[in-house]
Amino acid sequence: MMAIHQAVNSFILLIHRAKTTLSLKEIHARLFRFNFSQNSHAVTQLISACSPFGAIQYAILIFRSFRDPNPFVFNSLIRALFDNSCFDTAISHFAFMMQLDVRPDYLTFPFVLKSAACLQEVGLGSSLHSEIIKIGFELDSFVRISLLDMYVKLNNLGSALRLFYETPETNKIRSILLWNVMINGCCRASDLKTAVELFERMPDRDAASWNSLINGFVKIGDMEGARDFFDRMPEKNVVSWTTMISGYSQNDNHKWALDTFNQMLEEGVRPNDYTLVSVLSACAKIGALDAGRRIHDYIRQNNVKINRQNGTALIEMYAKSGKIICAKQVFDLMKEKGLLTWSVMIVGWAVHGYCVEAFRCFEAMKCAGITPDGVAFLGILTACAHTGLVDQGLWFFNMMRQDYFIEPSVKHYACIVDLFGRAGRLEEALKFIEDMPVEPDYVVWGALFCACSAQKNIQMAELAAQQLLRLEPSHPGSYIFLSNVYARTGRWNDVERVRVKMREKQIEKSPGWSFIEVGSHVHQFVAGDISHPCTAVIYSKLEELTTDAKAQGYLPDTGWVMHNIEEEDKEDAVGSHSEKLALAFGLISIPRGEDIRIVKNLRVCGDCHSLMKYASRMSQREIILRDIKRFHHFKDGVCSCKDYW
DNA sequence: ATTGGACTTA
């Protein structure tokens, strides 16, 4: 007896060694040779050893050759199946287990329930629950949490709540964790009312309880609610702070995200990678270079290791703040680059108009053994579009489908439309849209519209604008687009008609805003803004600038105004676009010799673009403007986009 | 005797 034991043990040792040296097949063969293929201990170990290799078929094979399955063997197989994402097979083996009357134990259910959750099968979830009750399995706190978690992941909040309420109120079973899972489930289902109710009723709360609730408010976009609980939270941890920071950023309040981060540092809470990524992404959104640099300094001073996540966030911050060379420096220093890292770098080159570098980066990525995905291709197509390389772009588009089997998304189609459109090949763009296998969406028609607008093809622009209106009748952009077409041709009656319709439907024009960072402060402007403390000085500077530019040949282009107003007023309306106000403010407050960086949430209008060129020459300063599409580097009267955007 | 008990927050 003793000898058999030892032999089995030495087999188990062999199996452990299999992870490095011996092949599993060889072990299995030996198992047979020594007649241990029916030893459940050895078989259980062998099945478990298959899992990390993904040798799941082999694990099933071993399982089938075992004649007298017991819970141990079943459990290890179900576990292995779950780990290899074979959820339905895991479930069917559980059914098999029941069929053979093998009683499941405490290690069976966690993985079966998780499989049901991953399969997103609501009915299966409930029947597993009944099965547990039927066989009289004890519903201890472990099983309850597993069940609760499964219901939450199946979006079956009702069943989760029912199970929760019938749980005896002893602290041991209704643990903090159980409450937290429940609160989190309510938050996932956007049922904040119940979440708060549960939270208030909890006998004890830990940080995760608070954070879960705060996160619930963040997810529904209620930052005041989130702030309320955040302020009341007695001991905020990193997660609490990060939730707020990324919450502000997700809800488009990047300035507050930065403020919250600074506050966090003042409170002496040490940021982790999640925090750094969130705050860097907030910087990237508004092009807050100084803030971003300070975070980079923090990273260096505190010896934070650059890894895939924070490194990628740094690259994106620099790229979107106009410092593509700094982005490249971080990129070169990074040891472990992921797919996202490469994509961010490619898109970075693309939006700065560095087509060759984007191509090189794309090739280098493939050499590094990373397979490009749809996002990487989108970057490379953007690069082609921005530099007018139509044939190259089409070549990449075909490569994506034929060599990489990536089904193009609507974004890719929109990019190709853009590619044709910018090159002035409008007919081809339209034909491309008509031949698309998927229904063209708002972005696709929008790309065509912009191209028509730039090429002054009013007929096709009207067609595109009508499609936009059909697709998004409540989107303000659709009306603006259409009205812009009419405005350009002087059809003021039609412009008025569109405006009335907009008013009837109570559609508000989404405001264009611009950000400019001065020193360490971010200033925000909307068109016609008078909220800034320096408003008077800004406007007089702008007037001076416009006058000087006019003397140099600048002609205000009033075609960009949508309303039918007197010529002079029109000049006013384009004259106070947010990017112009930001520019004037920058000229006053940013020391000479430093770049002026402006970020705009929409596309820059042609008039502003023209004025920026004059301003860069007259002030002998570099102006870096980022709009929703790309970067414009203005230097000595010329823009890096070569007026092609 | 064997099987990494469950799980939440960015």
Side-chain angles (χ1 to χ4, degrees):
Chain A
M1 200 60 201
M2 208 51 209
I4 294 172
H5 224 99
Q6 276 173 4
V8 169
N9 280 340
S10 67
F11 258 115
I12 290 167
L13 268 177
L14 264 183
I15 291 165
H16 286 306
R17 274 174 58 198
K19 287 164 191 165
T20 49
T21 49
L22 289 165
S23 87
L24 287 165
K25 273 192 181 152
E26 196 187 329
I27 306 245
H28 196 200
R30 287 196 206 184
L31 213 59
F32 271 104
R33 214 180 311 141
F34 290 101
N35 236 345
F36 284 141
S37 64
Q38 298 305 317
N39 179 292
S40 87
H41 192 168
V43 168
T44 303
Q45 291 276 351
L46 194 56
I47 290 174
S48 305
C50 291
S51 174
F53 296 98
I56 199 65
Q57 288 307 323
Y58 197 59
I60 294 172
L61 200 88
I62 298 165
F63 172 81
R64 291 208 178 129
S65 68
F66 188 68
R67 278 191 294 273
D68 179 30
N70 61 12
F72 303 123
V73 181
F74 264 112
N75 285 350
S76 58
L77 183 69
I78 290 174
R79 171 71 207 259
L81 287 165
F82 173 80
D83 284 344
N84 284 277
S85 310
C86 306
F87 307 123
D88 45 358
T89 323
I91 298 289
S92 61
H93 276 86
F94 174 71
F96 186 35
M97 192 173 176
M98 302 305 285
Q99 211 183 317
L100 293 182
D101 257 339
V102 179
R103 190 179 163 80
D105 66 7
Y106 63 99
L107 267 176
T108 318
F109 285 114
F111 300 105
V112 173
L113 294 177
K114 277 201 270 188
S115 299
C118 291
L119 285 171
Q120 283 294 302
E121 294 204 19
V122 182
L124 178 63
S126 321
S127 57
L128 286 172
H129 188 174
S130 339
E131 195 70 38
I132 293 175
I133 309 273
K134 204 179 86 189
I135 62 169
F137 197 81
E138 193 206 346
L139 288 179
D140 62 4
S141 76
F142 288 106
V143 180
R144 280 177 194 277
I145 287 179
S146 288
L147 272 169
L148 213 58
D149 189 56
M150 178 194 71
Y151 279 130
V152 164
K153 286 184 178 144
L154 290 172
N155 299 316
N156 189 347
L157 189 63
S159 300
L161 278 167
R162 216 170 307 132
L163 176 67
F164 179 78
Y165 285 129
E166 70 186 33
T167 301
E169 293 195 35
T170 41
N171 274 347
K172 213 175 140 205
I173 301 185
R174 242 196 220 188
S175 58
I176 292 190
L177 185 52
L178 197 69
W179 285 92
N180 287 354
V181 170
M182 202 58 246
I183 288 176
N184 188 253
C186 294
C187 290
R188 272 170 82 122
S190 300
D191 184 355
L192 267 286
K193 201 172 157 279
T194 315
V196 172
E197 212 178 285
L198 287 170
F199 180 82
E200 307 284 3
R201 278 178 41 199
M202 273 178 89
D204 289 304
R205 302 176 189 93
D206 62 6
S209 325
W210 288 89
N211 294 339
S212 297
L213 197 61
I214 292 171
N215 179 47
F217 281 101
V218 165
K219 284 282 147 65
I220 61 161
D222 180 359
M223 284 312 289
E224 278 98 46
R227 184 83 213 189
D228 182 35
F229 281 95
F230 179 74
D231 287 339
R232 277 162 49 193
M233 187 172 174
E235 278 178 35
K236 308 168 180 59
N237 63 13
V238 212
V239 181
S240 328
W241 286 97
T242 311
T243 307
M244 289 306 287
I245 292 168
S246 83
Y248 280 128
S249 192
Q250 278 166 39
N251 290 293
D252 265 339
N253 198 339
H254 310 292
K255 270 177 68 173
W256 284 33
L258 295 189
D259 290 345
T260 309
F261 177 72
N262 289 329
Q263 218 178 314
M264 169 182 173
L265 291 184
E266 279 166 29
E267 304 258 327
V269 180
R270 204 182 146 82
N272 61 17
D273 276 335
Y274 287 96
T275 325
L276 294 173
V277 170
S278 301
V279 72
L280 282 170
S281 132
C283 292
K285 291 265 168 51
I286 55 172
L289 180 63
D290 282 334
R293 275 183 177 145
R294 281 203 309 278
I295 296 161
H296 197 177
D297 287 339
Y298 177 92
I299 287 174
R300 279 187 283 240
Q301 281 156 16
N302 290 274
N303 292 322
V304 178
K305 257 187 85 177
I306 299 284
N307 55 29
R308 214 156 51 193
Q309 288 78 26
N310 60 26
T312 306
L314 271 174
I315 294 172
E316 187 168 33
M317 182 275 293
Y318 279 122
K320 291 208 167 164
S321 304
K323 297 288 166 186
I324 191 67
I325 301 305
C326 298
K328 165 94 170 110
Q329 284 165 355
V330 177
F331 182 80
D332 287 341
L333 285 174
M334 270 174 74
K335 287 193 186 68
E336 36 166 350
K337 300 182 180 76
L339 178 58
L340 197 61
T341 320
W342 289 94
S343 300
V344 164
M345 195 66 227
I346 292 170
V347 174
W349 289 122
V351 292
H352 282 86
Y354 290 95
C355 199
V356 178
E357 281 77 2
F359 289 165
R360 254 190 227 142
C361 194
F362 187 75
E363 289 305 319
M365 167 168 108
K366 288 196 281 183
C367 290
I370 308 266
T371 311
D373 68 344
V375 179
F377 272 104
L378 204 57
I380 211 79
L381 291 176
T382 309
C384 296
H386 284 333
T387 35
L389 295 173
V390 182
D391 294 334
Q392 281 271 25
L394 291 173
W395 185 71
F396 278 115
F397 185 71
N398 289 328
M399 180 208 276
M400 171 171 99
R401 290 190 299 180
Q402 282 156 19
D403 300 346
Y404 290 89
F405 307 107
I406 297 170
E407 195 52 42
S409 72
V410 202
K411 282 186 177 173
H412 295 96
Y413 288 111
C415 208
I416 298 292
V417 172
D418 201 36
L419 188 70
F420 279 128
R422 283 160 199 263
R425 293 157 69 167
L426 294 178
E427 295 298 332
E428 283 164 277
L430 186 61
K431 179 146 193 337
F432 184 80
I433 294 182
E434 284 164 356
D435 294 344
M436 271 171 61
V438 290
E439 180 74 12
D441 73 344
Y442 194 85
V443 187
V444 175
W445 287 110
L448 183 69
F449 176 85
C450 291
C452 295
S453 186
Q455 317 283 337
K456 298 202 171 40
N457 183 331
I458 302 304
Q459 217 182 351
M460 206 186 281
E462 195 173 353
L463 176 100
Q466 271 157 2
Q467 293 292 339
L468 290 168
L469 212 55
R470 182 180 61 81
L471 285 164
E472 299 266 342
S474 59
H475 190 287
S478 315
Y479 293 88
I480 313 279
F481 276 141
L482 189 61
S483 138
N484 276 348
V485 185
Y486 295 137
R488 279 215 160 248
T489 44
R491 287 159 64 177
W492 299 114
N493 290 337
D494 289 323
V495 172
E496 193 52 33
R497 198 168 47 79
V498 175
R499 282 187 61 203
V500 169
K501 209 167 173 185
M502 246 178 110
R503 219 178 302 134
E504 273 170 11
K505 297 203 172 182
Q506 303 196 326
I507 292 162
E508 293 281 318
K509 187 180 165 186
S510 71
W513 45 252
S514 292
F515 281 116
I516 183 165
E517 193 185 36
V518 176
S520 51
H521 281 275
V522 176
H523 301 258
Q524 187 176 358
F525 293 94
V526 295
D529 205 316
I530 49 164
S531 65
H532 197 277
C534 310
T535 294
V537 198
I538 291 169
Y539 276 90
S540 76
K541 176 72 191 174
L542 185 55
E543 207 177 312
E544 178 197 319
L545 178 69
T546 317
T547 313
D548 290 352
K550 275 183 190 163
Q552 303 266 326
Y554 160 70
L555 276 174
D557 180 358
T558 51
W560 295 86
V561 190
M562 65 173 279
H563 312 315
N564 178 19
I565 37 182
E566 295 304 312
E567 278 302 318
E568 204 176 304
D569 291 338
K570 273 197 233 166
E571 222 176 272
D572 260 8
V574 282
S576 57
H577 272 175
S578 61
E579 56 267 52
K580 289 205 183 80
L581 297 176
L583 170 67
F585 181 63
L587 286 169
I588 305 165
S589 48
I590 296 175
R592 287 205 155 271
E594 278 181 40
D595 304 339
I596 294 171
R597 286 172 293 102
I598 299 167
V599 174
K600 185 172 182 189
N601 69 334
L602 307 171
R603 259 159 70 118
V604 58
C605 92
D607 183 55
C608 293
H609 192 267
S610 165
L611 183 68
M612 298 262 169
K613 287 197 279 185
Y614 283 99
S616 71
R617 189 167 64 212
M618 294 186 310
S619 63
Q620 278 302 302
R621 304 173 73 150
E622 240 181 273
I623 302 165
I624 302 167
L625 172 72
R626 181 183 115 196
D627 72 8
I628 196 162
K629 282 275 179 191
R630 62 167 296 154
F631 273 92
H632 303 267
H633 291 255
F634 299 95
K635 197 177 175 184
D636 204 24
V638 186
C639 178
S640 64
C641 77
K642 303 187 185 79
D643 299 340
Y644 188 98
W645 85 96

